[in-house]
Amino acid sequence: MPAALASAHLRTRRRVFALTLIAALTGTLVLATGASAGFWTPESGGGSANAESIDTLYGLILAVAAVVFFGVEGALLYSLIKFRARKDAVPAQIRGNTRLEIGWTLGAAGILVILAVVTFVMLDDIRNPPNSDADGYPTARIVNVQNASAYQPRPPNGRALNIEVNGQRYIWRYTYPDGDDNPLNNTFNYKTLVVPTKTTVTLTIVAQDVAHSWWIPELGGKMDAVPGHTNFTWFKVQKPGTFRGQCAELCGRNHADMLATVVALEPDDFKAWLENKRDEIDANNKEAQQRREEELRDIEEGDSPAEDADPQEEETANQGEGS
Ligand SMILES: [Cu+2]
């Protein structure tokens, strides 16, 4: 019976194809979680209202989309099976159904309008930072950034810890405010952004060489760091913790090394860390100054400069890992 054999063979091949397809889809879904954020929705968990709102909004839209998807696919599968072709059966000849057509057009439009309204309501929490908690780190009024071409969102009381994030190949530099107008004597750190909890942290994002992108998934969306342009974002962490991210814009050969970490400390611990960092930088500057003076003296006395007097050393001495 060659015909029966051939059909059995075809069935086996179809089954293998279906199983391979399912395995491939499952594999893609499982592997994708390792490469991106959470399984179904964006990451959150730092307690920052912007990240939480993005996550909630995403979950909401996913739920509505799931209801629509399973509804449509269910009706489709039901119809396919119930009304499948049968020998000698002539199906009912139906042309259009005005009520049904108006119904699903209005239904779809209604769903979109509701989603749009909910999105705009929640956008407020995503864009605009709240005030710091009463027991947060003491903050100052945000002053206007000169030449900024975008509006910097502020908390209702106008006060936040405003830190400058500077993207440079292939490291992030963070500059902390110190209340005076001279940015050259500010405390700074590389790689790790240490912040206080319960405090609204606003970020002024700039780039020094090429375009980078600041992204800590658990603390909200990405923000481009573009040379000659200032961008803004913010977050507010409720509990101490470590949040990891990376530059999200291909910026050159070592782009993959451009990691970013945010470490949130209790306000008192943050204060101690900041003072410690300040002292460390002062000590390094003093040492560098001393070395420069020694070199100068050597030159004046006619000796050649010491061999270990590397002018770059001062710079690298300050680029500690921090925290
Ligand atoms: Cu980069």
Side-chain angles (χ1 to χ4, degrees), residues 168-170 172 210-213 247-252 255 258:
Q168 40 192 277
R169 292 200 278 191
Y170 297 95
W172 294 102
V210 298
H212 301 273
S213 180
C247 175
E249 179 84 55
L250 181 61
C251 56
H255 161 68
M258 201 163 161

Side-chain angles (χ1 to χ4, degrees), residues 171-174 176 187-195 242 244 261-265 269-270 272-274 276-278 280-281 284 316-323:
I171 203 164
W172 294 102
R173 177 185 158 118
Y174 314 106
Y176 294 82
T187 306
F188 59 88
N189 198 33
Y190 283 90
K191 289 183 183 172
T192 305
L193 172 58
V194 181
V195 296
T242 302
R244 295 187 193 284
T261 306
V262 171
V263 171
L265 302 175
D269 296 340
F270 171 75
W273 176 86
L274 196 66
N276 196 35
K277 196 78 206 169
R278 169 84 274 165
E280 200 181 297
I281 292 170
N284 280 330
T316 43
N318 279 341
Q319 293 185 3
E321 171 103 16
S323 83

Side-chain angles (χ1 to χ4, degrees), residues 1 5 69 71 73 113 157 215 264 278 305:
M1 285 183 281
L5 253 177
F69 176 80
E73 292 302 310
V113 168
N157 66 5
W215 190 35
R278 169 84 274 165

